[in-house]
Amino acid sequence: MEYDFKSIEQKWQSWWAENKTFRAVEDPSRKKFYVLDMFPYPSGAGLHVGHPLGYIASDIFSRYKRLKGFNVLHPMGYDSFGLPAEQYAIQTGQHPEVTTNRNIARYRSQLDRIGFSYDWDREVRTCDPGYYKWTQWAFLEMFDSWYDPEKDQARPIGELIARLETTGYADITAERWNAATPKEQSDILMRWRIAYQGETAVNWCPQLGTVLANDEVKDGLSVRGGFPVEQKKMTQWQLRVSAYAERLLSGLDRLDWTDSLKEMQRNWIGKSEGTELTFRCGEQQLPVVVFTTRVDTIYGVTFMVLAPESALVDELTVPSQRAAVDEYLAYVKKKTERERIAETKTATGVFTGSYGINPVTGDKIPIWISEYVLAGYGTGAIMAVPAHDSRDYVFAKKFGLPIVPIIEGCDVSEESFDAKEGKMCNSGFLDGMEVKQAIEAAKDYVEAKGLGRRKTNYRLRDAIFSRQRYWGEPFPIYFKDGIPTPLPLDKLPLTLPEISEFKPAENGEPPLARAKDWTYEGWPLEKSTMPGFAGSSAYYLRYMDPRNDSALVSPEADAYWRDVDLYIGGTEHATGHLIYSRFWNKFLYDRGYVCTDEPFRKLINQGMIQGRSSFVYRVVGTNTFVSAGLKDGYETTEIHVDISLVYNDRLDLEGFRAWRPEFADADFILENGEYICGWAVEKMSKSMFNVVNPDDICDTYGADTLRLYEMFLGPLEQSKPWDTKGIDGVHRFLKRFWRFFYDGDRCLLSDEAPTREELKALHKLIGKEQEDIEAFSFNTTVSAFMIAANELSALKCNKRAILEPMVILLSPFAPHISEELWHRLGHEGSVADAAFPEYVESYTLEDSCTYAVSFNGKTRFTVELPKSLDKDGVEAAVRAMEQTGKYVGAQTIVKVIVVPGKIVNIVLK
RNA sequence: GCCCUGAUGGCGGAAUUGGUAGACGCGCUGGACUCAAAAUCCAGUGCCCUUUAAAGGCGUGCCGGUUCGACCCCGGCUUGGGGCACCA
């Protein structure tokens, strides 16, 4: 029989499901391996061919590790709370749960067709109350914790309370604490809790009616939906991620992640080491602290700038400037984030009327207000050095402030000199020093004189944790006498109430305000819900023990599975999920709930698969289409054409005429009798008619071909366009592989002993596969299969002793055909439980070959030597030749270079 | 502006990390099988010169360097992709 992928794939997919072939069970006698995919948000559009790329890679790795004897955990689930389902609900009234479940069912059927080795018994869904119980629990744990800087970890809030009661803490004395009302005490604790409620400038998105985290905003627009975002001060739940900034940064060094991803996280955390300096400002000698990384430029300070939102603005504005300042503040306030970003090149600002005193020079300098200084970073106030900072320079030029260069020989007539190089001048005690030296000297000086202190700042902000939405986890918090109070643990999960409409309430409150009786013991419950990253932050832990009702994960399961050995997913989560997850995990680690500090040991970012759009060229003003190669002779319009009408860039003319009524009577100008389409690589999307559905590929070629082809396309990490041409090549390979076993219905298998040549081909493949899979070079592994098939085909090999191991080797890539052949070979269990074949190196050796021996590049003679000879071996052989008189030389051999079979170059000195 | 990445035939991409550049696949050309097509198989295929062959010459974005030897290392550019960006 021929290779009938359709029946084979259906058959084994059901067989795997029935036999629970891929169920993972904790077994301390076996080594574990945890392979994780970033679980998908089940969108209404379903999967396109780019989505499974990472899933296929991780599946190959899982199956490979299993063949290698590991106890593999390879789960899958759904990140099923989220905005699109809610937006859809607002428009249609359809409950988000209904759409979510429908989308999940579609995702599941699409995933199933590809033959993944997931343990579906461990599936999690973030919107399932049994799951989000533990999201809520983690939030309460964070609420019940503070970050102890001495122990450098999160500790129970009780420890802080005990300190406040006895000795006081920070600026809160014991007297003040003990005299405080419960509400005041609650407010004080909010300053230290890991999960806290506080007023802060937030990204408010009016169209979505909710606040967003920094990573959910890009270029002043919401990542989801692309709506404008504005800055607004609001009281919101937040997570004190900033407390972990240093650990999140230093932890990166121990992770096996790509440099680019680590770099993104480092940028996002944004550590900068500098100095805090105190300037006395205004009539009242108000101490104003500024942060700078360039204390060495202190002699070049010619003014100061406050952020418009700074509390100091009010205090330092003199009456005569009051009106101008108020006008400026109003102007800043009405700008959206996007407008602010767009205008970064033009300086805006206003003078407060006050002056500050440079603590080092004693100079009196004006204090300005400008939006280029951010309230959220550093202290919200800066010392401006226009000669050596480009932003200060622009500002100084605009408002005619003095520019004083303090580095020898620099020209600041056109732009500032920002580089940290050169010799200091006009700088008192720093004169003559190199900049780098001066930075340190100035820091020392400032500290010694008590004018300031060294300080490290991070750009990483606390995460805004409230969303004014319905389709998310409710906060297990109620307000007793206005005091945020945690729900008792036995009341978890606090499930989402049923509401009839999903848009915000008429009074502008979140949708949960529409719920009847959203109270606990008569007190109001929190009305916002948690953001998307809440549910995805610890899902990898829940997979370890998904049905546990008394803990997020049992200590036993956690101790066995520990952490994710391999995590595969897109780079788009670099500054969102991957930061939050690490934070969340570190918190749970601090509090003793998990045994590892970092959750994802190795991380691979699969590249995006882009679409390959096809174009036809309509001659302007006609319904005539000219083939791509001839289009330069005409004036044409480029039109996207559905890629299902195009094969190898050739247009199906009849299909095209039938595609759209307006093309029904289209004429064509052909080249060589064919219409050739133009093409371009674009994002895969419906509007460009370039979406490829994996289901269609499975129909035409089968899942095994899809899997092989996605891997064959190129390196995993690289982004690449999907191009269906070329898929025939791997499909042909599978058909060929099948024909090693069957010619029609005739079984070709023989039990003859394999020859050395055949064994060589097999073992070369074993070695290559092992090496390549460990290096995640799956495209070259697929090539290795084809090479082996070519070799064995040339040898006309149908021997069981060769083909049976080949079936095992192929099984991670093409599990269905492998399973079928494995059973036809007479095995009972799954090929997934077979053992990876042993690699025997000696089979790869050639006996001998001719080397050309040259000295310093000049060929002297040829010699017959073993092909496997390494450099040392050749050197020894050459020395031996010296003895025989074939080579007589007095010079010393410095280096011997061998290219198998061709050249030996001997470097002499 | 800063930080990561990449650049190799007509195309996707290989190259044991300093050692035969272009594996493997697509495409293309020719052939076999067939009434024909599909499928399958065989051969050829970096470019240039040459009627053909032999033999050359040129070739890993560009310019230079190190080396017996460079796609690989160093210096300087050009350019594609991604990230960060009034962060003081």
Side-chain angles (χ1 to χ4, degrees), chain A residues 115-169:
Chain A
F116 293 121
S117 62
Y118 294 126
D119 176 1
W120 283 108
D121 287 356
R122 290 179 185 255
E123 181 196 299
V124 301
R125 299 178 183 194
T126 54
C127 67
D128 172 11
Y131 178 89
Y132 69 67
K133 172 178 179 178
W134 299 103
T135 311
Q136 293 174 333
W137 167 83
F139 171 80
L140 288 185
E141 286 296 314
M142 291 181 196
F143 181 79
D144 191 46
S145 302
W146 68 297
Y147 201 88
D148 182 344
E150 286 155 33
K151 295 197 169 101
D152 200 19
Q153 61 171 206
R155 303 291 304 167
I157 195 82
E159 290 183 8
L160 177 64
I161 295 173
R163 280 213 222 176
L164 286 164
E165 281 169 351
T166 53
T167 61
Y169 184 75

Coordinates of all heavy atoms in Angstrom, one line a residue, chain A residues 115-169:
Chain A
G115 N -0.4 16.4 15.9 CA 0.2 15.2 16.5 C 1.2 15.5 17.7 O 2.2 14.9 17.8
F116 N 0.8 16.5 18.5 CA 1.7 16.9 19.6 C 1.6 15.9 20.8 O 0.6 15.2 21.0 CB 1.3 18.3 20.2 CG 1.6 19.4 19.2 CD1 0.6 20.2 18.7 CD2 2.9 19.5 18.7 CE1 0.9 21.2 17.8 CE2 3.2 20.5 17.7 CZ 2.1 21.4 17.3
S117 N 2.7 15.8 21.5 CA 2.8 14.8 22.6 C 2.5 15.5 23.9 O 3.2 15.3 24.9 CB 4.2 14.1 22.6 OG 5.2 15.1 22.9
Y118 N 1.4 16.2 23.9 CA 1.0 16.9 25.2 C 0.3 15.9 26.1 O -0.4 15.0 25.7 CB 0.0 18.1 24.9 CG 0.7 19.2 24.1 CD1 0.0 19.7 23.0 CD2 1.8 19.8 24.6 CE1 0.6 20.7 22.3 CE2 2.4 20.9 23.9 CZ 1.7 21.3 22.7 OH 2.3 22.4 22.0
D119 N 0.5 16.2 27.4 CA -0.3 15.5 28.4 C -1.5 16.3 28.7 O -1.5 17.2 29.5 CB 0.6 15.3 29.7 CG -0.3 14.6 30.8 OD1 -1.4 14.3 30.5 OD2 0.3 14.5 31.9
W120 N -2.6 16.0 27.9 CA -3.8 16.9 28.0 C -4.4 16.7 29.4 O -5.3 17.6 29.7 CB -4.7 16.6 26.9 CG -4.3 17.2 25.6 CD1 -3.8 16.5 24.5 CD2 -4.3 18.6 25.3 NE1 -3.4 17.4 23.5 CE2 -3.7 18.7 23.9 CE3 -4.6 19.7 25.9 CZ2 -3.6 19.9 23.3 CZ3 -4.5 21.0 25.3 CH2 -4.0 21.0 24.0
D121 N -4.1 15.7 30.2 CA -4.7 15.6 31.5 C -4.3 16.8 32.4 O -4.9 17.1 33.4 CB -4.3 14.3 32.2 CG -5.0 13.1 31.6 OD1 -5.8 13.3 30.7 OD2 -4.7 12.0 32.0
R122 N -3.2 17.5 32.0 CA -2.7 18.6 32.8 C -3.1 19.9 32.2 O -2.5 20.9 32.6 CB -1.1 18.5 32.8 CG -0.7 17.3 33.7 CD 0.8 17.2 33.7 NE 1.3 16.1 34.4 CZ 1.8 16.1 35.7 NH1 2.0 17.2 36.3 NH2 2.2 15.0 36.2
E123 N -4.0 19.9 31.3 CA -4.4 21.2 30.7 C -4.8 22.2 31.7 O -5.5 21.9 32.7 CB -5.5 21.0 29.7 CG -6.0 22.3 29.0 CD -7.4 22.1 28.4 OE1 -7.5 21.3 27.5 OE2 -8.3 22.8 28.8
V124 N -4.4 23.5 31.6 CA -4.9 24.5 32.4 C -5.6 25.6 31.6 O -5.2 25.8 30.4 CB -3.9 25.2 33.3 CG1 -3.2 24.1 34.2 CG2 -2.8 25.9 32.5
R125 N -6.5 26.3 32.2 CA -7.1 27.5 31.5 C -7.1 28.6 32.6 O -7.7 28.4 33.7 CB -8.6 27.2 31.1 CG -8.7 26.1 30.1 CD -10.1 25.8 29.7 NE -10.1 24.7 28.8 CZ -11.2 24.4 28.1 NH1 -12.3 25.1 28.2 NH2 -11.2 23.3 27.3
T126 N -6.6 29.7 32.2 CA -6.5 30.8 33.2 C -7.9 31.3 33.7 O -8.0 31.9 34.8 CB -5.7 32.0 32.7 OG1 -6.3 32.4 31.5 CG2 -4.2 31.6 32.5
C127 N -8.9 31.1 32.9 CA -10.3 31.6 33.2 C -11.1 30.6 34.0 O -12.2 30.8 34.4 CB -11.0 32.0 32.0 SG -11.5 30.6 30.9
D128 N -10.5 29.4 34.3 CA -11.1 28.4 35.1 C -11.0 28.7 36.6 O -9.9 28.9 37.0 CB -10.4 27.0 34.7 CG -10.9 25.9 35.6 OD1 -11.9 26.1 36.3 OD2 -10.3 24.8 35.5
P129 N -12.1 28.8 37.3 CA -12.0 29.1 38.7 C -11.0 28.2 39.5 O -10.3 28.7 40.4 CB -13.4 28.9 39.2 CG -14.3 29.1 38.0 CD -13.5 28.6 36.9
G130 N -11.0 27.0 39.2 CA -10.0 26.1 39.8 C -8.6 26.5 39.6 O -7.7 26.2 40.4
Y131 N -8.4 27.2 38.5 CA -7.0 27.7 38.2 C -6.8 29.1 38.8 O -5.9 29.3 39.5 CB -6.8 27.8 36.7 CG -5.4 28.4 36.4 CD1 -4.3 27.6 36.2 CD2 -5.3 29.8 36.2 CE1 -3.1 28.1 35.9 CE2 -4.0 30.3 36.0 CZ -2.9 29.5 35.8 OH -1.7 30.0 35.6
Y132 N -7.8 30.0 38.6 CA -7.5 31.3 39.1 C -7.7 31.5 40.6 O -7.3 32.5 41.2 CB -8.3 32.4 38.3 CG -9.8 32.5 38.4 CD1 -10.4 32.9 39.6 CD2 -10.6 32.3 37.3 CE1 -11.8 33.1 39.6 CE2 -12.0 32.5 37.3 CZ -12.6 32.9 38.5 OH -13.9 33.1 38.5
K133 N -8.2 30.4 41.3 CA -8.1 30.4 42.7 C -6.6 30.7 43.1 O -6.4 31.4 44.1 CB -8.5 29.0 43.2 CG -8.3 28.8 44.7 CD -8.8 27.4 45.1 CE -8.5 27.2 46.6 NZ -9.1 25.9 47.1
W134 N -5.7 30.1 42.4 CA -4.3 30.2 42.8 C -3.6 31.5 42.3 O -2.6 31.9 42.9 CB -3.5 28.9 42.3 CG -4.2 27.8 43.0 CD1 -5.0 26.8 42.5 CD2 -4.1 27.5 44.4 NE1 -5.5 26.0 43.5 CE2 -4.9 26.4 44.7 CE3 -3.4 28.1 45.5 CZ2 -5.1 25.8 46.0 CZ3 -3.6 27.5 46.8 CH2 -4.4 26.4 47.0
T135 N -4.2 32.1 41.3 CA -3.8 33.4 40.9 C -4.2 34.4 42.1 O -3.4 35.2 42.5 CB -4.5 33.8 39.6 OG1 -4.3 32.8 38.7 CG2 -3.8 35.1 39.1
Q136 N -5.4 34.2 42.5 CA -5.9 35.1 43.6 C -5.1 34.8 44.9 O -4.8 35.7 45.6 CB -7.4 34.8 43.9 CG -8.3 35.3 42.7 CD -9.8 34.9 42.9 OE1 -10.1 33.9 43.5 NE2 -10.6 35.6 42.3
W137 N -4.8 33.5 45.1 CA -4.1 33.2 46.3 C -2.7 33.9 46.3 O -2.3 34.4 47.3 CB -3.9 31.7 46.4 CG -2.9 31.2 47.4 CD1 -3.1 31.0 48.7 CD2 -1.5 30.9 47.1 NE1 -1.9 30.6 49.3 CE2 -0.9 30.5 48.3 CE3 -0.7 30.9 45.9 CZ2 0.4 30.1 48.4 CZ3 0.6 30.5 46.0 CH2 1.2 30.1 47.3
A138 N -2.0 33.8 45.1 CA -0.7 34.5 45.0 C -0.8 36.0 45.3 O 0.0 36.5 46.0 CB -0.1 34.2 43.7
F139 N -1.9 36.6 44.8 CA -2.1 38.0 45.1 C -2.2 38.2 46.6 O -1.6 39.2 47.1 CB -3.3 38.5 44.3 CG -3.7 39.9 44.7 CD1 -3.0 41.0 44.1 CD2 -4.7 40.1 45.7 CE1 -3.3 42.3 44.5 CE2 -5.0 41.4 46.0 CZ -4.3 42.5 45.5
L140 N -3.0 37.4 47.2 CA -3.1 37.6 48.7 C -1.8 37.4 49.4 O -1.5 38.1 50.4 CB -4.2 36.7 49.2 CG -5.6 37.0 48.9 CD1 -6.6 36.1 49.6 CD2 -6.0 38.5 49.2
E141 N -1.0 36.5 48.9 CA 0.3 36.3 49.6 C 1.2 37.5 49.4 O 1.9 37.9 50.3 CB 1.0 35.1 48.9 CG 0.4 33.7 49.3 CD 0.6 33.5 50.8 OE1 1.7 33.7 51.4 OE2 -0.4 33.0 51.5
M142 N 1.0 38.1 48.2 CA 1.8 39.3 47.9 C 1.3 40.5 48.8 O 2.1 41.3 49.3 CB 1.8 39.7 46.5 CG 2.5 38.7 45.6 SD 2.4 39.2 43.9 CE 2.9 37.7 43.0
F143 N 0.0 40.5 49.0 CA -0.6 41.5 49.8 C -0.1 41.4 51.2 O 0.1 42.3 52.0 CB -2.1 41.4 49.8 CG -2.8 42.4 50.6 CD1 -3.0 43.7 50.1 CD2 -3.4 42.1 51.8 CE1 -3.7 44.7 50.9 CE2 -4.0 43.1 52.6 CZ -4.2 44.3 52.1
D144 N 0.1 40.1 51.6 CA 0.5 39.8 53.0 C 2.1 39.8 53.1 O 2.6 39.2 54.0 CB 0.0 38.4 53.3 CG 0.1 38.1 54.8 OD1 -0.2 39.0 55.6 OD2 0.6 37.0 55.1
S145 N 2.8 40.4 52.2 CA 4.3 40.4 52.3 C 4.8 41.8 52.0 O 4.2 42.6 51.4 CB 4.8 39.5 51.2 OG 4.3 38.2 51.3
W146 N 6.0 42.0 52.5 CA 6.8 43.2 52.2 C 8.2 42.8 51.8 O 8.6 41.7 52.0 CB 6.8 44.1 53.4 CG 7.6 43.6 54.6 CD1 7.4 42.5 55.3 CD2 8.8 44.2 55.1 NE1 8.3 42.3 56.3 CE2 9.2 43.4 56.2 CE3 9.5 45.4 54.9 CZ2 10.3 43.7 57.0 CZ3 10.6 45.6 55.6 CH2 11.0 44.8 56.7
Y147 N 8.9 43.7 51.2 CA 10.3 43.4 50.8 C 11.2 43.9 51.8 O 11.4 45.1 52.0 CB 10.6 44.0 49.4 CG 11.7 43.2 48.8 CD1 11.5 42.1 48.0 CD2 13.0 43.7 49.0 CE1 12.5 41.4 47.5 CE2 14.1 42.9 48.4 CZ 13.8 41.8 47.7 OH 14.9 41.1 47.1
D148 N 11.9 43.0 52.5 CA 12.9 43.3 53.5 C 14.2 43.6 52.9 O 14.9 42.6 52.4 CB 12.9 42.2 54.5 CG 13.9 42.5 55.7 OD1 14.7 43.5 55.6 OD2 13.8 41.9 56.7
P149 N 14.7 44.8 52.8 CA 15.9 45.1 52.1 C 17.2 44.5 52.8 O 18.2 44.2 52.2 CB 16.0 46.6 52.1 CG 15.1 47.1 53.1 CD 14.1 46.0 53.4
E150 N 17.0 44.2 54.1 CA 18.2 43.6 54.8 C 18.3 42.2 54.4 O 19.4 41.7 54.2 CB 18.0 43.8 56.3 CG 18.3 45.2 56.8 CD 17.5 45.6 58.1 OE1 17.4 44.7 58.9 OE2 17.1 46.7 58.2
K151 N 17.2 41.4 54.5 CA 17.3 40.0 54.1 C 17.3 39.9 52.6 O 17.5 38.8 52.0 CB 16.1 39.3 54.7 CG 16.1 39.2 56.2 CD 15.2 38.2 56.7 CE 15.4 37.9 58.2 NZ 14.4 38.5 59.1
D152 N 17.0 41.0 51.9 CA 16.9 41.0 50.4 C 15.9 39.9 49.9 O 16.2 39.2 49.0 CB 18.2 40.8 49.8 CG 18.2 41.3 48.3 OD1 17.3 42.1 48.0 OD2 19.1 40.9 47.6
Q153 N 14.8 39.9 50.6 CA 13.7 39.0 50.1 C 12.4 39.4 50.7 O 12.3 40.2 51.6 CB 14.0 37.5 50.5 CG 14.1 37.3 52.0 CD 14.2 35.9 52.4 OE1 13.8 35.5 53.5 NE2 14.7 35.0 51.5
A154 N 11.3 38.8 50.1 CA 10.0 39.1 50.6 C 9.8 38.4 51.9 O 10.1 37.2 52.0 CB 8.9 38.7 49.5
R155 N 9.1 39.0 52.9 CA 8.9 38.4 54.2 C 7.4 38.7 54.5 O 6.8 39.6 54.0 CB 9.8 39.1 55.2 CG 11.3 39.0 55.0 CD 11.8 37.6 55.0 NE 11.5 36.9 56.3 CZ 11.6 35.6 56.6 NH1 12.0 34.8 55.6 NH2 11.3 35.2 57.8
P156 N 6.9 37.9 55.5 CA 5.5 38.2 55.9 C 5.4 39.6 56.4 O 6.2 40.1 57.1 CB 5.3 37.1 57.0 CG 6.3 36.1 56.7 CD 7.5 36.8 56.1
I157 N 4.2 40.2 56.1 CA 4.0 41.6 56.6 C 4.0 41.7 58.1 O 4.3 42.7 58.7 CB 2.7 42.1 56.0 CG1 2.6 43.7 56.1 CG2 1.5 41.5 56.6 CD1 3.3 44.4 55.1
G158 N 3.7 40.5 58.7 CA 3.6 40.5 60.2 C 5.0 40.9 60.8 O 5.0 41.6 61.9
E159 N 6.0 40.5 60.1 CA 7.4 40.9 60.7 C 7.6 42.4 60.6 O 8.2 43.0 61.5 CB 8.5 40.3 59.8 CG 8.5 38.8 60.0 CD 9.7 38.1 59.2 OE1 10.5 38.9 58.6 OE2 9.7 36.9 59.2
L160 N 7.0 43.1 59.6 CA 7.1 44.5 59.5 C 6.3 45.2 60.6 O 6.7 46.1 61.3 CB 6.7 45.0 58.1 CG 6.7 46.5 58.0 CD1 8.1 47.1 58.1 CD2 6.1 46.9 56.6
I161 N 5.1 44.6 60.8 CA 4.2 45.2 61.8 C 4.8 45.1 63.2 O 4.8 46.0 64.0 CB 2.8 44.4 61.8 CG1 2.1 44.7 60.4 CG2 1.9 44.8 62.9 CD1 0.8 43.9 60.2
A162 N 5.4 43.9 63.4 CA 6.1 43.7 64.7 C 7.1 44.8 65.0 O 7.3 45.4 66.0 CB 6.7 42.3 64.8
R163 N 7.9 45.1 63.9 CA 8.9 46.1 64.0 C 8.3 47.5 64.3 O 8.8 48.3 65.1 CB 9.7 46.2 62.7 CG 10.8 45.1 62.7 CD 11.9 45.7 61.9 NE 12.4 44.7 61.0 CZ 13.4 44.9 60.1 NH1 14.0 46.1 60.0 NH2 13.8 43.9 59.4
L164 N 7.3 47.8 63.5 CA 6.6 49.1 63.6 C 6.1 49.3 65.1 O 6.2 50.4 65.6 CB 5.5 49.2 62.6 CG 5.8 49.4 61.2 CD1 4.7 49.1 60.2 CD2 6.4 50.9 61.0
E165 N 5.6 48.2 65.6 CA 5.0 48.3 67.0 C 6.1 48.5 68.0 O 5.9 49.2 69.0 CB 4.3 47.0 67.3 CG 2.9 46.9 66.7 CD 2.2 45.6 66.8 OE1 2.9 44.6 67.2 OE2 1.1 45.5 66.4
T166 N 7.3 47.9 67.8 CA 8.3 48.0 68.8 C 9.3 49.1 68.6 O 9.5 50.0 69.4 CB 9.0 46.7 69.0 OG1 9.5 46.3 67.7 CG2 8.1 45.6 69.5
T167 N 10.0 49.1 67.5 CA 11.1 50.0 67.2 C 10.7 51.1 66.1 O 11.5 52.0 65.9 CB 12.3 49.3 66.8 OG1 12.0 48.6 65.6 CG2 12.8 48.3 67.8
G168 N 9.7 50.9 65.4 CA 9.4 51.7 64.3 C 10.2 51.2 63.1 O 11.1 50.4 63.2
Y169 N 9.9 51.8 61.9 CA 10.6 51.4 60.7 C 10.7 52.6 59.8 O 9.7 53.3 59.6 CB 10.0 50.2 60.1 CG 10.8 49.7 58.9 CD1 11.9 49.0 59.1 CD2 10.3 49.9 57.6 CE1 12.7 48.5 58.0 CE2 11.1 49.5 56.5 CZ 12.2 48.8 56.7 OH 13.0 48.3 55.6

